[in-house]
Amino acid sequence: MEDINKADLVVIGIGQAYTARPATSGKYSDPSLERSTFKPELIANAAIACSNGRILHVGAEEGLEEVDTSEALIVDAEGRLVTPGLVDCHTHLVFDGSRHDEYAMRCMGSSYPEIATAGGGILSTVRKFREAGEDLLFDSAQARMAAMAFTGTTTVEIKSGYGLSTEEELKALSVIGRLADEEPLRVVPTFMGAHEVPDEYRSDRAGYVDLVVEEMIPAASEQGIARFCDVFCEKGVFDVDESERILRAGIEHGLGAKIHSDEFETLGGTEMAVSMGAVSAEHLTALTDAGLEALASSATTAVLLPGTTLFLGKGDYAPARALLDRGAQVALATDFNPGSSTFLSLPLITTIACSQMGMHPAEALQGVTTNAARAVGLEEEVGRLEAGYAADLVIWDADDYRMIPYAAGHPLVLFVVIEGEIVTFD
Ligand code: NIG
Ligand code: FE
């Protein structure tokens, strides 16, 4: 039997540990926290001991006496900030090619839906994806994941959705599965065959929905390679009834429900997803009061993607403040994809969230730790510095958590630890 009190990694000299748990005392030296919906627990002069990939102890350095550190690797943080590893709960990172041509068109005034209608957009990436071999897709995704890890991401959700046929969607999930097996980051696979209607079904949209429901979802579920099912509920893509049918089929096959809703037009997808018990509703830039109320009175996490709003050159950020003030659970993610957001840094997303949506740095950090973990069903596993959680940590070249959004994407990450191992990339 392993000695569970025997640490294999100990981080000492932590100036500030941001545990992502709520503070227990009511006194804060930071007056801005009075208006924040989340008051963080901050531990000064802390130490963290890990064993077999799990956190054993988090607290004042004196508490380490309880732990056997005799054979542990000791890392001295020299007064710096340590947070949980960050969770990117919405990405589309397996694809080939780039859409910088569309970006330039958008800068000159074309809109994302206009470009999509003219044959660009998601379908142009689908054409490239279908030509690409698994190794090429794996290698490019691996490089992006390494870049994400260097900005503090330790868990990443990855959606399929550039294949749009049974064979090609299974190819995407197989690449995502290989990334999960071979890369140090924790990967959450999501099936998103309902990302667009492919060229060959443009005149038979219903036929495509049948294919997703009757063939793709059962195949993805049978192979056990997806945890969630997502759908792009949007005007010109999938309507609310189609989206509901797809999510219901996913649930029947053991896949939790997620939805891209209220991104450009309001269709009612958010309310539908909440009523089905979806784990998350994502984008929400065109959220209505009814959608807001539905989210606030449910366990469905609102995943906001302010990098997408910025990248698309728009100003209609999701109503983060109203969601938080009404008690909704708010997470943040990059939405990393070739068309609408090439941001891969979650710290930079927290900057946009704070500066453009009026979130407090503590609310934004909750959005990329605990609440992002909820949005991928891993809230008992990652996103907190707490005994029993995965030993996923970031040691920052900073001494206060507010530096993360404030530093606006400066490379502050010194070390990333995933499951108790310091991450290195070849
Ligand atoms: O979340 N909104 C739909 N899907 C992606 C965009 C994907 C693409 O443009 O390739 C998104 O923004
Ligand atoms: Fe997306």
Side-chain angles (χ1 to χ4, degrees), residues 306-325:
T308 310
T309 309
L310 182 69
F311 192 79
L312 291 177
K314 300 177 75 192
D316 57 344
Y317 289 91
R321 215 39 283 146
L323 282 160
L324 287 163
D325 291 340

Side-chain angles (χ1 to χ4, degrees), residues 46-282:
I48 300 175
C50 309
S51 172
N52 290 307
R54 300 262 138 197
I55 296 176
L56 205 55
H57 162 90
V58 183
E61 225 162 74
E62 301 84 71
L64 267 186
E65 284 147 22
E66 314 274 300
V67 179
D68 177 355
T69 58
S70 57
E71 286 176 30
L73 171 68
I74 311 275
V75 175
D76 188 347
E78 297 180 339
R80 294 190 177 91
L81 167 71
V82 175
T83 69
L86 308 183
V87 178
D88 196 344
C89 62
H90 180 145
T91 83
H92 308 251
L93 75 72
V94 176
F95 59 85
D96 180 33
S98 157
R99 306 225 300 268
H100 50 270
D101 50 343
E102 287 178 15
Y103 179 71
M105 281 169 73
R106 264 205 317 278
C107 295
M108 293 295 102
S110 304
S111 75
Y112 182 88
E114 271 163 24
I115 290 169
T117 312
I122 294 171
L123 290 180
S124 65
T125 301
V126 170
R127 283 170 220 124
K128 279 224 149 110
F129 182 93
R130 289 176 172 182
E131 281 162 22
E134 287 201 23
D135 286 344
L136 185 148
L137 293 166
F138 177 87
D139 290 347
S140 59
Q142 183 185 43
R144 295 172 193 133
M145 279 167 80
M148 284 177 166
F150 286 124
T151 69
T153 299
T154 54
T155 296
V156 61
E157 185 256 16
I158 309 178
K159 302 173 197 297
S160 71
Y162 292 118
L164 308 189
S165 70
T166 305
E167 188 189 348
E168 293 294 325
E169 284 297 304
L170 291 178
K171 177 171 100 182
L173 289 172
S174 150
V175 172
I176 297 170
R178 243 182 93 193
L179 293 164
D181 291 344
E182 295 178 30
E183 291 308 293
L185 281 85
R186 193 173 281 93
V187 170
V188 180
T190 295
F191 165 73
M192 198 173 177
H195 194 195
E196 233 322 348
V197 177
D199 285 329
E200 61 277 18
Y201 278 92
R202 289 320 267 186
S203 52
D204 180 19
R205 302 173 39 80
Y208 187 67
V209 177
D210 288 344
L211 184 73
V212 171
V213 166
E214 288 161 17
E215 199 175 289
M216 291 190 201
I217 290 175
S221 157
E222 192 177 312
Q223 299 196 14
I225 47 183
R227 184 159 179 169
F228 293 101
C229 174
D230 198 340
V231 57
F232 190 11
C233 181
E234 184 62 48
K235 188 170 168 212
V237 194
F238 299 96
D239 66 22
V240 175
D241 289 343
E242 291 166 338
S243 301
E244 180 171 358
R245 192 172 156 222
I246 289 161
L247 293 184
R248 206 166 287 290
I251 290 170
E252 278 160 18
H253 284 85
L255 308 180
K258 286 178 157 286
I259 190 165
H260 281 55
S261 57
D262 293 326
E263 180 176 2
F264 299 108
E265 306 265 348
T266 298
L267 301 186
T270 303
E271 294 88 308
M272 178 275 287
V274 167
S275 74
M276 294 187 62
V279 68
S280 60
E282 327 211 345

